[in-house]
Amino acid sequence: MLVRKSASFDSTLRSSDITPKDAAEKYQQDRRRFLTRAAALGAGALTATHLPSLLNPSQTVHAADKLQAAPSKYTTTENQTPFNKATSYNNFYEFGTDKSDPAKHAQTLHTRPWTVQVTGMVKKPQTLDIENIMKYRPIESRLYRHRCVEAWSMVIPWDGYSLSDFINFCEPLPSAKYVQFTTLLDRKQMPDLPGGYDWPYTEGLRLDEAMNPLALLTFGCYGETLPNQNGAPIRVVMPWKYGFKNCKSIVKFHFTDKQPKTTWNQINSQEYGFYSNVNPSVNHPRWTQARERRIDSSAFPKTIPTLPFNGYADQVANLYNGMDLKKFY
Ligand code: MTE
């Protein structure tokens, strides 16, 4: 996402466009601090608990299973991006910075056993097992537009349930105003972890954004459990925001009263805002956001106009009433 040369909206971004060196110099010290902190957190992980209210014995899900995803009202008439493109053109920097790296390298990620911590301003901090989280609510399929800040887009059938259901389960305290997501950090499973980034990857949302019905806690796509490169076994999908808000392979949900640290915003706050709502009238400093390259089944993807809030303005624009979206980009 850090692009050295100025790129137009329809240029193809390559690994050589990425500038880890500058970032490396700037963030090397921070990185060491973050890695130390992450290691400490791992050592202090809580014991997984099995919560009766998260159990639904009618459904058992294992890694690589088909998901029993029911159709939903969330759909679009646009052409679905083919599975092989959505699972081979990815951003998951922990497994390399080329678009083709995650599909090749993320197979080293172990998605079972997998636990998720719920921490911070909640009634009861706890650690949950992925199987129980997946069984908590029926899984539905939602066909969403997926718009990357790099000006490419896809249309993907994601499988999951409303993030709001999970947040309600977590019982945030009234004082909690934000939720922060944290991706797994494990150098053994991530031998290609690039230097110069504040690992682990973190993202965050205002709590009212996270509670919007469009926000999806996601376990699968195309009716199958998430491929590793797409963020197995659990990620979030926020269809009105740039793709980097969609934290992958989550191991922690942290509730807080302060706007949380988020990876790309920390790396370059001039280019990657905290809100990062898709907005064709606020350009990235180095390329236009007015159009996007739609990755579909064609060999030569077309560019199409980008829509405010990625076409979901009716459902989400009211979250930002009174806010200057050029300032809070
Ligand atoms: N999550 C983690 N942990 N690491 C990443 O590098 N990349 C983000 C987001 N989530 C990223 C991440 C970006 S930039 C995008 S566009 C989407 O994941 C890509 O999701 P996809 O590969 O499923 O299309």
Side-chain angles (χ1 to χ4, degrees), residues 1 89-94 146 148 152 158 183 201 229-230 235 243-244 246-248:
M1 284 161 62
Y89 187 90
N90 300 101
N91 278 331
F92 199 168
Y93 274 29
E94 287 88 331
H146 174 47
C148 179
W152 54 265
W158 300 108
T183 294
Y201 191 99
Q229 59 269 32
N230 292 87
R235 68 178 283 174
F244 67 88
N246 299 344
C247 193
K248 292 180 168 181

Side-chain angles (χ1 to χ4, degrees), residues 59 61 67-71 134-135 137-141 158-161 219-220:
Q59 200 183 6
V61 188
L67 281 179
Q68 300 298 318
M134 289 176 78
K135 291 173 202 161
R137 283 284 182 267
I139 290 176
E140 60 182 36
S141 174
W158 300 108
D159 303 315
Y161 59 74
F219 310 100

Side-chain angles (χ1 to χ4, degrees), residues 2 63 70 183 257:
L2 288 173
T183 294
D257 57 356

Side-chain angles (χ1 to χ4, degrees), residues 258-271:
K258 304 202 173 50
Q259 185 175 301
K261 166 185 114 63
T262 60
T263 291
W264 282 103
N265 182 245
Q266 287 241 316
I267 288 173
N268 192 339
S269 61
Q270 302 301 310
E271 300 194 349

